[in-house]
Amino acid sequence: MKRPQEPKGPYSYVNEEVKFQNTKANITLAGTLTLPSKGGKYPAVVLITGSGAQNRDEEVLGHKPFLVIADHLTKNGIAVLRFDDRGVGQSSGNFKTATSLDFSTDVESAVAYLQTRKEIDKSRIGLIGHSEGGLVAPLVASGSDNIRFMVLLAAPAIDLGKLLLKQDELIARSLGISEPEIQKMKNTNASAYSLIAKSTDLKVLRNDLAKLAKKEILEIPPQLLPPKMTKEEFIATQIDNLSSPWFQYVMKYNPGKTLEKVRCPVLALNGEKDLQVTSKENLSAITRALKDGGNSNIITKEFPNLNHFFQECETGSPLEYAKIEQTFSPKVLTEISTWILAQVR
């Protein structure tokens, strides 16, 4: 499949492989720092990946959105640091035991590293978080005076249980699952999420999830099963995921409370056809939380016909992601770079 937006070297800017330490976690993170040129002091951003083990390009289904974003921003005079998640690529550490809070310390380390670079203006460092990265970015910005601005791309801001139930419903519908099956699935998932939110004992939680799964196993629509995976294998994988430290953390986390503590300017963007982090509910929740905390320096924007990865699309279904040639909407790239440059003048 063609990926026409992917830049190919040699680049018109500096492209440097870097490593830096997260001393809190005792791990080494590896990434790429792109600089407009060797001279001068530049504003900079750290890119923060979405959920799941991601490399520095946030590579998914043949697309490399962070490579495209970094290329665009660097060509517009903004330095960019993107890095492999802990335990992924060349970064050390254990991804499976980490939570969003742990990932926030990785980002803090990235910001600290940028502050050591003579090419970076320490007073003009910001964050761009996509999807779960939009949960992590406020954790960093709310606890630091060193963050000049923050861009949230398809960032969750409502109760995570409600968000996931809505995501389950919309994606199931896009896969052609019938309405009665969707309702059964939502009821089962709501029960599972409730168990997680109330859980205080991992062993008890896993047993409770196994009992629920045994009762509901016949109800799993075949469209939800990955290729060559039985229902029993699917259930076992789901229980592992649902009882992971990461899932337990996000199910008990309140994004709004963190956003209330963010003081820097915020740009929050969503695609209108995003089925994973629905646009209207989450953008309005971001605005509400920031304003409740006394921050009025916010712009939110919904882009028509864009999906969760900011691709121009037909339906927004995950089935389309790999088939679309575009990696990231040029309109959104321009929106991001124009706004950032206005913040760092």
Side-chain angles (χ1 to χ4, degrees):
M1 181 66 75
K2 289 180 185 174
R3 300 292 183 241
Q5 287 176 290
E6 269 187 32
K8 303 283 188 287
Y11 302 107
S12 59
Y13 47 81
V14 178
N15 194 72
E16 184 184 338
E17 302 294 297
V18 299
K19 290 194 172 180
F20 52 94
Q21 303 297 313
N22 177 344
T23 51
K24 280 185 186 174
N26 194 28
I27 59 175
T28 301
L29 298 159
T32 302
L33 175 63
T34 51
L35 298 159
S37 70
K38 285 185 178 174
K41 270 193 182 299
Y42 299 105
V45 298
V46 177
L47 302 187
I48 312 169
T49 60
S51 59
Q54 305 269 357
N55 67 18
R56 67 193 69 185
D57 294 329
E58 203 191 34
E59 190 169 353
V60 61
L61 297 169
H63 285 285
K64 298 177 180 177
F66 278 13
L67 173 62
V68 172
I69 293 171
D71 179 73
H72 172 82
L73 294 179
T74 310
K75 285 175 177 172
N76 280 276
I78 302 159
V80 180
L81 176 58
R82 62 192 201 274
F83 61 95
D84 299 331
D85 289 348
R86 58 168 71 191
V88 177
Q90 296 171 48
S91 291
S92 67
N94 188 339
F95 181 86
K96 288 183 179 177
T97 59
T99 68
S100 303
L101 188 61
D102 296 318
F103 299 139
S104 75
T105 69
D106 295 342
V107 176
E108 286 167 0
S109 305
V111 172
Y113 171 72
L114 285 176
Q115 290 173 325
T116 70
R117 296 288 303 231
K118 66 181 188 304
E119 307 95 332
I120 304 301
D121 183 338
K122 293 181 190 178
S123 68
R124 297 192 294 167
I125 297 173
L127 308 172
I128 299 179
H130 174 238
S131 197
E132 189 206 350
L135 282 184
V136 174
L139 283 167
V140 178
S142 63
S144 172
D145 295 327
N146 297 321
I147 305 304
R148 178 75 169 265
F149 59 86
M150 181 171 73
V151 179
L152 301 177
L153 302 173
I158 63 173
D159 174 84
L160 273 296
K162 289 178 184 172
L163 182 140
L164 289 171
L165 285 174
K166 188 72 176 172
Q167 182 185 111
D168 296 337
E169 175 188 353
L170 293 174
I171 290 176
R173 194 168 288 133
S174 79
L175 296 175
I177 294 170
S178 71
E179 291 303 318
E181 286 179 306
I182 289 172
Q183 197 52 54
K184 284 178 189 171
M185 183 189 71
K186 276 184 72 179
N187 291 341
T188 302
N189 290 354
S191 298
Y193 298 157
S194 176
L195 287 171
I196 297 159
K198 294 172 185 170
S199 165
T200 55
D201 184 302
L202 180 58
K203 192 175 178 183
V204 172
L205 173 63
R206 288 184 69 89
N207 285 336
D208 288 344
L209 289 172
K211 284 179 197 167
L212 177 66
K214 193 173 181 182
K215 195 169 67 174
E216 305 293 344
I217 193 165
L218 296 176
E219 308 291 347
I220 301 169
Q223 298 98 315
L224 293 181
L225 290 176
K228 299 178 182 175
M229 187 179 274
T230 66
K231 285 186 177 182
E232 288 75 14
E233 289 168 338
F234 179 71
I235 289 290
T237 303
Q238 291 296 94
I239 289 173
D240 283 344
N241 291 340
L242 293 173
S243 58
S244 69
W246 178 84
F247 208 98
Q248 290 182 76
Y249 179 85
V250 296
M251 290 302 292
K252 295 169 184 174
Y253 177 67
N254 184 337
K257 291 296 180 191
T258 303
L259 283 164
E260 284 177 17
K261 299 173 190 167
V262 172
R263 296 289 171 261
C264 66
V266 177
L267 174 68
L269 308 176
N270 252 88
E272 174 226 351
K273 290 187 175 174
D274 187 338
L275 304 186
Q276 293 182 241
V277 179
T278 49
S279 182
K280 288 179 174 58
E281 295 96 327
N282 287 283
L283 287 180
S284 60
I286 290 168
T287 301
R288 188 164 56 248
L290 288 165
K291 286 187 174 175
D292 284 351
N295 186 348
S296 58
N297 198 339
I298 173 171
I299 292 175
T300 64
K301 194 164 182 178
E302 178 188 74
F303 286 83
N305 299 318
L306 297 189
N307 63 21
H308 185 62
F309 284 94
F310 294 86
Q311 299 168 297
E312 292 168 32
C313 65
E314 293 295 323
T315 69
S317 167
L319 293 177
E320 291 180 328
Y321 296 164
K323 297 173 186 173
I324 299 170
E325 286 190 3
Q326 184 183 79
T327 294
F328 202 93
S329 163
K331 287 181 184 173
V332 182
L333 289 173
T334 301
E335 186 83 25
I336 295 167
S337 57
T338 302
W339 183 83
I340 290 174
L341 290 169
Q343 306 314 306
V344 298
R345 280 199 190 110

